[in-house]
Structure formats: C-alpha cells, structure tokens
Amino acid sequence: STNQWIFWLPTVFFLAAILLYGKSMAVMLGGRKRRKVDATLRFWFLGFASGLVSLILMASWTVLDAEWNRFLFGGVFLFGCVSSILLGMLMKIIPFLVWFHRFSRLAGLVEIPMMDDLVPPLALRWQFPIHLLVVILMIMAILSNWEPIIILLALSLIVEASLLLYTLWFALGHKPPQQEALPDFDSFFKGDTSWMAAKPGGTSPLS
C-alpha cells in the first residue's frame, strides 16, 4: 500500500547510508598507520552499531506496533548513534581547533603542545565508558520505566556533560607564548633577518 511505501522508502535510504558509512570507515581504518583503538574509534564503533540497531527497530514498526518501540528507536538513534559520533568527533575537533588557531604558526619556532596534550587524560579514560553507561541506562529506562533508573540516567548525563565541558575548558586553558618571546615574523618574511643576530637576553636590533 501507499503507507508502506512511505515507511520503507526512508528506511531503505537510511540502510544505504549506514552501509556506505560502514564501508568508508572500514577503508579508512584499514589504511591508517596507527593501529591503536582510541576513544574516538570506540565512539564511532558504538555509533555505527547503534545505527544498525535503530534501523532494525524502525523496520520492526510494521509488525510491532508499540509505543515503547518508537521511544527505543529514538533513544538508540539519538544517544547511541548521533551522540556517539558527535562526541567522537569532538574529541578530535576541540584539540585541533585550539592547536590550529593558537599554536600552528609557532611550530618549529618555540616549544608548543601536541594536539594530544590538549585533551585531559581524565576525558580520554572516562568519556566513552560514561557515554556507554548513558546508552545502556537509556535503554533500561525506556523498557522498564523505573524511576531509580531514570534518576541514574539523569545523573549520568550530568556527569557526561560536565566531563565534556571540562575537556573544552582544559583545551582552552593552553595559552600561546607571550608576544615578547616570539620572533618578528613580519621582518623575517620581508627578508630582514637581523633579529636573528640578537643574543639571548639581549636587546633585539628591531627594538
């Protein structure tokens, strides 16, 4: 019927998108030089698996017409798939943006932190386990509708959000060196290298 076509059409597109994403991710992971499974990869794996589960839940609507099934689909898709991928990307995007805007122009000139140094060890260790706990508690809360689990889910979300905020604060807390300690880049690119002859602690010829 027409209603079934309206239902299955987005389902097929969603399945194609998940499979293409999985294929692209498999190619990228297979070609990378570092074989270490870090927090970002764990988030991506969880997001991909949750996407497949949410697709199965969506397909089950045709045979299982229950309100909890729709809530479960929304929770698995939003918390398990979308949020996992976003958090995994943020673990890379936050340190990259801070490093690029504050330290990239200083590379090779002064001592600067690496991008890995801009993520706190606490977040690297606990961000994924806490998020996984959130996903599990979300599923349990939908299926059981038990108030203690709902309260525990809310507390876990607060802890997860606080840890993400701490990660952002930690990265932004890294400041570039003071301007007085930097070379005169304008003169250098104009061909004037006289500032290089200045002795450490002495007076620069440009001052």
Side-chain angles (χ1 to χ4, degrees):
S1 63
T2 304
N3 292 334
Q4 289 182 340
W5 276 106
I6 293 176
F7 171 81
W8 283 109
L9 189 61
T11 304
V12 171
F13 279 111
F14 185 36
L15 174 61
I18 289 290
L19 294 178
L20 288 175
Y21 171 76
K23 179 182 178 181
S24 300
M25 187 171 65
V27 171
M28 288 188 296
L29 294 178
R32 67 194 184 102
K33 297 180 179 179
R34 295 181 60 186
R35 298 294 179 176
K36 182 180 178 180
V37 178
D38 56 9
T40 298
L41 283 180
R42 293 188 179 97
F43 276 115
W44 284 354
F45 289 148
L46 178 59
F48 180 71
S50 299
L52 292 177
V53 172
S54 62
L55 181 66
I56 295 174
L57 290 171
M58 180 188 293
S60 68
W61 291 356
T62 57
V63 295
L64 185 60
D65 188 12
E67 187 178 32
W68 65 264
N69 193 23
R70 291 172 171 78
F71 279 112
L72 189 59
F73 162 77
V76 172
F77 180 72
L78 293 177
F79 285 90
C81 181
V82 177
S83 296
S84 298
I85 295 175
L86 287 178
L87 285 171
M89 294 302 297
L90 284 176
M91 298 295 288
K92 297 294 186 182
I93 291 175
I94 291 176
F96 170 76
L97 290 179
V98 173
W99 186 88
F100 180 77
H101 288 284
R102 291 187 174 180
F103 302 104
S104 61
R105 67 187 182 92
L106 306 177
L109 299 174
V110 294
E111 185 177 357
I112 59 175
M114 303 293 289
M115 280 190 287
D116 291 341
D117 299 328
L118 302 178
V119 180
L122 184 66
L124 290 174
R125 181 177 180 180
W126 292 108
Q127 190 77 59
F128 178 77
I130 293 176
H131 180 70
L132 181 60
L133 177 63
V134 167
V135 175
I136 295 174
L137 288 174
M138 177 271 304
I139 295 175
M140 295 175 61
I142 293 176
L143 295 178
S144 67
N145 198 26
W146 192 32
E147 185 175 353
I149 295 181
I150 297 175
I151 294 175
L152 188 58
L153 171 61
L155 293 175
S156 300
L157 283 169
I158 293 174
V159 173
E160 182 181 27
S162 300
L163 187 56
L164 181 61
L165 182 62
Y166 169 68
T167 301
L168 182 61
W169 174 83
F170 182 88
L172 293 176
H174 288 75
K175 305 293 183 181
Q178 296 295 326
Q179 190 66 30
E180 291 79 5
L182 301 180
D184 189 334
F185 293 103
D186 293 335
S187 299
F188 176 78
F189 287 113
K190 291 178 181 178
D192 181 8
T193 59
S194 59
W195 58 272
M196 299 177 63
K199 297 180 179 180
T203 303
S204 171
L206 299 175
S207 60

